[in-house]
Amino acid sequence: MSASSIRLPLWARAVASAGTSPAGQILLGVDYYPDQTPEALWEEDSRMMSEMGFTNVRIAEFAWALMEPSEGKFEFGWLHRAIQILHKHNIGVILGTPSAAPPPWLSAKYPDIFEVNAQGQRLRPGGRRFTCPTNPVYRKLSLAIATQMAKKFGETEGVIGWQIDNELTLGTSLRCYCNFCQAGFQNWLRTRYTTLDNLNQSWGTVFWSQTYTDFSQVPVPLLSGGDPNPGLALDYDRYQSYANVSFTEEQLTMLRQMCPTHFVTTNNVGLLDTIDMCDLYAKLDFAAFDNYPGFFDMLMAQEGKPPSSDGIATTISLGHDLARSVKGGEPFMIMEEQSGKAGQRTFAPQPEAGQVRLWTYQAVAHGAMGVNYFRWDTATFGAEEYWHGILNHDRSKSPAYEEIRQTVKELKALGQEVLYSQYAAQMALVFDYDCSWALKIQPGHYALDYMNQVTSWYGAISASHTGIDVIAPEADLSPYKIVFAPLAYVMSEKQAAKIKSFVQGGGMFVTNFRLGVKTETSQIVRTPLPGLLRDVMGVTVADYVPIYSAKNAVKFAPALAGPDGECGLWADILQPTGAEVLASYTKGSHAGEAAITMNTVGSGKAVYIGADLDGASLARVLRTLSGLAGIKPPLEVPPGIELTVRRAGDKQWTFVLNHTAVSQSVSIPKTFTDLLTGKTRTGKIDVSGYGVEVLQSA
Ligand SMILES: [Zn+2]
């Protein structure tokens, strides 16, 4: 097959046809606000962006009031002039639909559109993201403004694609509990359960006299005199995810009809678990995530955690791996990349010299096909007036200006073959929204949190540098040597069958406490735990123990040799029915009982980690198990260095990313060429603080 016969994805064709970037290059742009900038500066801005090497901007996602100053009266003249100027300078345009911030005339006329939070309070206008995803008037008006934009700009030169809305659900309230959502939820339940008898049985509504005799009686899980039915609460999370996805798809359907040559996406914060990202991006052209590493630094300090460049780096990588995985390994885009101090009331710090470049390469190393920096010029007004961009308040160049210009130049020179190469993962980490939601409803321990567990496990296994896909619970496991599934609390029969077949076929499955406790309808299984996986794990859970003041500890068998580990929040007490014991509890009434087991099934292994291990022990255990599964790091590197490997045919590139401020030595076993400098690299190489090398086998 010749290169010209390969059908490029829609985003690549859109970019190439607009002439802003040759086919095969990646998008390197900036988020721009002509609506907030005097028109006299647009020409200068566009010229400077062009000099920076940018291929595109994203604009207009918060400009509803300017585009529709009163209901049904549309004014796109200013936007058209901005697009023309940008296009003249060869800058492509991604248009944002503005539904995240309705204008005051709309709020005043239709106060029913306001979201109701978990305390039953109605949000007020004045900020952004205060609207209900179900409300039919809000949906109709959101679709109307997006449709008018599509009519106006569907054929406009320079427009290459669309971003629907902005950071869905990311506001002061992550869920809406209004009357419209209640009615929407009831309709969704009619489709899901068909009959009331089925719904009542599935939720167990006989408890506390909650048997429903009409779908219209079903409440939303607002404050009551006791906790809601767990089945109802889990379904409400699913409904809210669905409502946001279907809201997005209304605009998508219209855009597909009216702008068939444009790509369409929406941007999100990857590690926010309010919407099932696989559902959200299923029909969109690619996933687009926003990346603000400085916030993790700020959050760790707030939580009293010691500074950790490794912790921040792996949290970012987890987001990137999720972004790539939600579309089955397809390239993703960073729609907003931190370029300066960022935040509204308090600010993440200015990135150190080299960090913005490093974060850009980190995204590309994990499979990004585009990076847009946030934002071009820094606003002098509004809630985000301290959210620093590439130009300062006085339009002088920010500390990252030259660094970004250099990075764009380097990436353009890197070439299509590297940028389009594949990220191949040997390991998978299951990310299950049902488990995250069900554990928020009933964590069992106040400090037990699904996202924390997933992040800890990702941090531990990423140290092997062999690639991690972040997969849905019922995904195909066959491409992987080892699959990790922490807190697999809700287990479907389909998922259990896939795990069994994966282990029988020679894979290693590693999981931990709270395994298989719940059915998909959030009832507890009627068999001994771990329910559907009892045979494959080769254990029965004799008891499950939340831990507060009476701390426990574990002693490891030789296979996992190391100092005794702490057991922090939880202990599943394991009774082997065929599995080998790899660690035992040492304290209290369960001293001597099994804490970690490994079962052999067919040619594979199933490992149950019953104890909530301290970080160092968890890292050692997961690394040891990875080694048993045949995982070998491509290079031995010190902490703070991240590696990713990209492949195309028999060619291979190793991205070496130094997340620390100091130079680090890495031993390389053969001769490579550093594509960024063209230099030959061999033996022991020094990677500068926040430095990057892209090594190609010589
Ligand atoms: Zn609502």
Side-chain angles (χ1 to χ4, degrees), residues 114-116 132-135 176-182 236 240:
F114 304 155
E115 192 172 348
V116 170
C132 162
T134 310
N135 183 282
C176 182
Y177 299 85
C178 77
N179 291 340
F180 294 97
C181 282
Q182 182 176 9
Y236 198 67
Q240 284 283 307

